[in-house]
Amino acid sequence: MIEEVGTIVSVTQEHGVQNIWVETAIKTTCSSCQAQTNCGTSVVAKAFSPKKQSIKLPYEHAVVIGQKVKLGVPEESLLSASLQVYLLPLLGLILGSSLASYVMPFLALESELWVVLTGFIMAGVVFLLIRNKLADANNLQYCPTLIEVYPNPVETISVKNL
């Protein structure tokens, strides 16, 4: 299980169900790399990556805004989603280009531009289908789960001696 600690930023009530909004900091692998000061990829990652992400999760117990929680995603789900997002559009590109190279001469379209264009269109369609499948609200396999809610830290008040 891949785990991340987040902070509760909001509590909402929808259709009789209490939802908490958890904000997590997005970290790139560049932050742990020793060559980050001399690397152009690190500069681009820091400039264009969003710094925080909010996730809505159902939770029925009382919580306080600012309270820390631990979220988790199973490794199998993450690997499965990664394979689908990266591998299947590539296969769509290859399949679309292969089919177009056989079909286009029958349509009197001899240019290789049509083959390349068909391959990219097929890859784009496959990517959109997979993205919609993974983003489906009913597909809870790829959603993070709430593992633990940390106790609310007790505020300490210092009293000055008069």
Side-chain angles (χ1 to χ4, degrees):
M1 174 96 38
I2 298 171
E3 298 175 352
E4 181 70 32
V5 175
T7 305
I8 297 174
V9 293
S10 177
V11 180
T12 61
Q13 193 82 12
E14 295 176 14
H15 309 291
V17 177
Q18 177 178 305
N19 294 308
I20 58 172
W21 286 86
V22 178
E23 190 173 81
T24 59
I26 296 176
K27 300 178 208 101
T28 63
T29 55
C30 293
S31 61
S32 61
C33 180
Q34 294 177 355
Q36 67 179 328
T37 56
N38 300 324
C39 178
T41 304
S42 174
V43 173
V44 172
K46 288 177 185 174
F48 291 110
S49 65
K51 305 300 182 220
K52 301 203 181 277
Q53 180 178 14
S54 294
I55 302 165
K56 180 173 81 169
L57 299 167
Y59 190 69
E60 65 272 357
H61 301 291
V63 291
V64 177
I65 293 176
Q67 199 168 353
K68 301 285 185 189
V69 296
K70 185 189 293 186
L71 305 174
V73 177
E75 288 95 352
E76 302 86 32
S77 297
L78 186 63
L79 289 173
S80 170
S82 297
L83 281 175
Q84 291 177 44
V85 168
Y86 291 112
L87 188 61
L88 292 180
L90 183 61
L91 292 175
L93 174 74
I94 294 168
L95 181 66
S97 298
S98 298
L99 288 175
S101 68
Y102 290 115
V103 172
M104 291 301 171
F106 294 115
L107 300 175
L109 300 171
E110 300 291 331
S111 174
E112 287 184 8
L113 177 63
W114 294 109
V115 174
V116 172
L117 186 63
T118 304
F120 280 123
I121 289 172
M122 183 74 146
V125 167
V126 170
F127 176 77
L128 291 175
L129 289 173
I130 292 168
R131 186 181 74 170
N132 289 341
K133 177 191 165 220
L134 295 177
D136 183 19
N138 297 326
N139 196 352
L140 299 176
Q141 174 185 356
Y142 303 107
C143 294
T145 57
L146 189 62
I147 297 173
E148 180 181 359
V149 177
Y150 294 115
N152 192 21
V154 178
E155 293 182 15
T156 57
I157 301 172
S158 62
V159 178
K160 293 183 181 180
N161 293 332
L162 296 176

